[in-house]
Amino acid sequence: MHPAFSVIFFTVASGAGFGLFSLLFIADVFKLGGGFEREQLIIGGLMAMALVVFGLLSSTFHLANPKNAWRAFSRFRTSWLSREGVFAVLFMPLALVYLASIWFDAPLWLRETSGFLTAVLAWITVFSTGMIYACLKTIRQWNTPLVPANYLALGYASGSLLLLLGAVVSGLDTTPYIAMSALILSIAAVLKAIYYFWISSPGLGPTINTATGLTRAKVKLLDTGHTHGTFLTQEFGFQIARQKAGLLKIVVFVLGFALPGLMLVWVFNQQGGQVAAIVAVITGIVGAAVERWLFFAEARHVVNLYHGAQRC
Amino acid sequence: MRLGLVIDLDVCVGCHACAIACKEWNASGTTGPLSDYQPYGAEPSGVWFNRIRHYEMDEYPNNKTVNFPMSCNHCEDAECVTVCPTGASYKRAEDGIVLVDQDKCMGCNYCSWACPYGARELDRSSGTMKKCTLCVDRIYDMELPVEERQPSCVLTCPAHARMFGDFDDPDSAVSRTVRERGGFGLMPELNYNPTNQYLPPRSKPVIPIEAHPRGGLKESIKQFANKLVRR
């Protein structure tokens, strides 16, 4: 699949935003590390919402006809793309209710109920983002429950690193935040490793034989029938060299998980302080972006069987 | 009604006439134009509803070239319609034709991701997804004589490799042909239940290909003499 930059930015930014908001709520409920001040909670919440909004706006850049984008909310009963849009938009007012109840010192039940509902909605939205890809039977590398699991784990991992930075800047006790980040980073790394292992074996999907129905003999493509590329080859023809993909997987694990993990140790030992937390956020998010690029680059659509591939 | 095509892989000669006729009709049809990019430039490309690929099956000396026209299969379980977030893609209840409402499409490409057959192509000029309409603006046109109320590709095929009809009617020509010739849909394992059916190439005796034995000196002289003598 052709990796579209706007979609990579969208999924990484909105994933981090939804993750940050959910974890901010948890930090608020349990007053982790002494608990954030009122203003700090508001700033953190607004930053999370800004990440979500920027992500959603960037996602419209890959539309060829964005003037009809508003119609995307209409088919939430069948389409995961529509569901994602609906839930992302529902998230906003609920998140504002939560932040307002913090600002105006609303009764605790309102604050915690709205916060809980917002966190659940954030979870559902990121799950929907993953399901956009996971529901496609045409792409073996995506059609697995590991995909929404990866999207959620990486969103929460980026969010937890952002929250840790907030805790460091706010001068809270960072130990619970470090523990939370370490746990989520480990889960995300393990899930990603399982995913890479899973897609590395060819599976039993369609082949050039089932694609043409000529199942009794070897089949090979002689001619695609077009002189230059088509929409199909431009959208689905993207191929990445196995060696390059292997190298990028190392980059994903080093930048996305190992370096942020190392920075957690530094923050814990009070060696790096803010700098270590900032480095953790930057490497974590760059790692997530590389992971997302590779997620698209490695996906092989079955239509490639009509352009010469023997199996996908 | 469940309208669709039957494509005879045994008969198709791979002339691309169906693709040209399709482009000609649909460029001015309901979802037209079908934009071309650099039609006379170095990298010609554009939107087509029907594409013909050429395959070789089996190996020498049993090999055979199979010409393979493909357009929308108007699947019964059309995932392209399920995933469409705007409701632009729809499947008609009355005849099963899958269409894209050009006024609603936002050009997100998601339906083309869901289609295993590559039937959907984005028109970069209009920013909307376009696909085979089964010539919906032809087959119901009461102004046309009855025999012309068929998709352009079917009408134009010089080898009669294409048929159009109702698969819900067990006695229609398409249903009977598919039964008799063992027609099949493509990629059945994905469970899209494509309506269009393909008829397999027939098995034919292999043409002997042993080289003719070389004649001796007498044969060579005869051949030489034959070349000289004008009859």
Side-chain angles (χ1 to χ4, degrees), chain B residues 46-191:
Chain B
V47 182
W48 293 74
F49 294 169
N50 190 5
R51 290 186 182 274
I52 294 89
R53 288 148 191 140
H54 308 274
Y55 290 92
E56 181 179 56
M57 59 184 275
D58 216 338
E59 283 171 327
Y60 180 82
N62 300 309
N63 53 343
K64 178 176 169 57
T65 302
V66 181
N67 305 300
F68 211 94
M70 277 186 77
S71 52
C72 176
N73 282 289
H74 300 279
C75 303
E76 281 205 79
D77 297 299
E79 289 275 322
C80 54
V81 174
T82 312
V83 303
C84 176
T86 62
S89 280
Y90 62 103
K91 184 170 172 70
R92 288 160 45 120
E94 63 269 37
D95 53 16
I97 299 179
V98 177
L99 293 173
V100 181
D101 186 336
Q102 299 293 309
D103 293 332
K104 288 185 180 168
C105 178
M106 67 174 186
C108 68
N109 289 354
Y110 195 25
C111 56
S112 72
W113 294 7
C115 174
Y117 308 112
R120 289 167 169 260
E121 299 195 11
L122 184 80
D123 187 328
R124 297 189 195 278
S125 306
S126 66
T128 52
M129 198 53 74
K130 297 191 172 174
K131 65 176 289 301
C132 160
T133 64
L134 212 59
C135 287
V136 71
D137 42 9
R138 235 199 120 86
I139 56 177
Y140 293 114
D141 190 347
M142 293 302 161
E143 300 292 313
L144 292 173
V146 181
E147 63 276 15
E148 282 187 28
R149 290 180 208 158
Q150 296 195 58
S152 273
C153 55
V154 175
L155 279 177
T156 209
C157 179
H160 296 289
R162 305 174 74 92
M163 291 170 79
F164 165 71
D166 176 15
F167 286 89
D168 264 353
D169 174 7
D171 293 322
S172 67
V174 285
S175 298
R176 264 187 285 116
T177 312
V178 166
R179 268 203 307 278
E180 284 160 17
R181 294 274 312 278
F184 55 83
L186 306 180
M187 279 195 266
E189 67 275 31
L190 291 183
N191 293 322

Side-chain angles (χ1 to χ4, degrees), chain A residues 27-47:
Chain A
D28 179 34
V29 170
F30 298 108
K31 301 281 175 277
L32 294 184
F36 284 103
E37 297 291 323
R38 192 168 68 167
E39 291 78 12
Q40 293 163 343
L41 282 173
I42 303 285
I43 292 171
L46 288 179
M47 276 174 59

Side-chain angles (χ1 to χ4, degrees), chain A residues 140-141 195-204 311-312:
Chain A
R140 176 178 67 82
Q141 290 83 353
Y195 172 79
Y196 285 142
F197 169 77
W198 202 256
I199 63 164
S200 65
S201 47
L204 300 166
R311 55 165 48 252
C312 280

